[in-house]
Amino acid sequence: LKGQIRSALHRSDFKSAMGLLQHAEKLFPTSPWVLKHLLAISRENKNFKKAEALTLRLEDLGYFSSDQSKRQIASFQYQEAIQSQTPSDQKEVLLRQAHYLDPSRHEVTEVFAQFLFDQGHKSYALSAIEATWLLSPTQSLGNLYLKISAPKSVEDAYQVALKLIKNNPSHPESLLLLS
């Protein structure tokens, strides 16, 4: 069965691989190999709800730590949020949850902060950026922070940048933003 699954995956025949993996899951319901491959195919097929359920199951069985599980789920929620068919109200919920679960993901924060700003929630957008800057500062986050803050002069921009970097002042990205 494992050989057939590997062969199907090698051929990129995800439909056959999924069927074989589901059969294998019935035979070996706690196998990390089976569950992780089911997770990979669910992610490939953009079946994010099933991927979340499998991630939580793997955490319950002790194959994923709580932090790994949170990062995985945040990734799935972000991927679902950026799908074109996701409604705007659901997009906000997914981005908010993804940011809450893993605030270190700057790409999530950039999309989330821009979305909040577009909805008229300027201060919440800025605080989301500040939380991410503390963990993983990037130039694009700094630029977005300045754009949302809309300083009127160079001196104001410098003060805004100082406010952003106050909790992570020695990081190279902080120094770059100030310069």
Side-chain angles (χ1 to χ4, degrees):
L1 190 58
K2 194 172 187 179
Q4 289 176 330
I5 293 168
R6 284 186 174 176
S7 177
L9 290 171
H10 183 70
R11 292 188 315 267
S12 297
D13 183 3
F14 298 121
K15 186 175 181 181
S16 295
M18 181 60 101
L20 292 166
L21 281 165
Q22 288 171 338
H23 179 67
E25 183 183 21
K26 290 176 186 170
L27 298 172
F28 309 102
T30 60
S31 167
W33 188 88
V34 172
L35 295 174
K36 286 179 180 179
H37 279 80
L38 278 170
L39 175 64
I41 291 176
S42 296
R43 183 179 26 231
E44 184 72 30
N45 292 336
K46 297 182 180 179
N47 187 347
F48 302 114
K49 296 299 179 203
K50 181 171 178 115
E52 283 184 41
L54 284 165
T55 300
L56 291 172
R57 189 167 163 203
L58 284 161
E59 180 186 357
D60 289 343
L61 292 170
Y63 299 120
F64 282 170
S65 70
S66 177
D67 286 340
Q68 287 173 314
S69 181
K70 284 180 182 179
R71 285 192 300 270
Q72 287 275 340
I73 291 172
S75 176
F76 299 143
Q77 290 178 341
Y78 170 67
Q79 291 298 321
E80 187 175 354
I82 63 172
Q83 299 299 311
S84 60
Q85 68 270 17
T86 304
S88 181
D89 57 335
Q90 174 133 12
K91 187 177 288 204
E92 180 180 0
V93 170
L94 290 167
L95 288 170
R96 185 181 309 274
Q97 187 67 19
H99 175 72
Y100 172 75
L101 288 173
D102 190 4
S104 68
R105 297 208 41 202
H106 65 87
E107 64 275 5
V108 173
T109 302
E110 288 172 23
V111 173
F112 181 48
Q114 186 64 54
F115 184 85
L116 288 171
F117 180 65
D118 293 343
Q119 299 294 321
H121 304 290
K122 179 180 174 180
S123 62
Y124 191 48
L126 293 174
S127 66
I129 294 171
E130 290 168 359
T132 300
W133 188 271
L134 181 63
L135 302 170
S136 61
T138 64
Q139 193 62 43
S140 57
L141 274 176
N143 292 340
L144 183 59
Y145 192 84
L146 289 171
K147 176 185 162 193
I148 291 173
S149 297
K152 302 208 184 315
S153 67
V154 175
E155 292 81 17
D156 290 344
Y158 183 76
Q159 292 304 316
V160 167
L162 280 175
K163 181 181 178 205
L164 176 61
I165 70 156
K166 72 179 174 189
N167 292 322
N168 201 352
S170 60
H171 193 281
E173 289 291 334
S174 296
L175 299 173
L176 182 62
L177 182 66
L178 279 181
S179 67

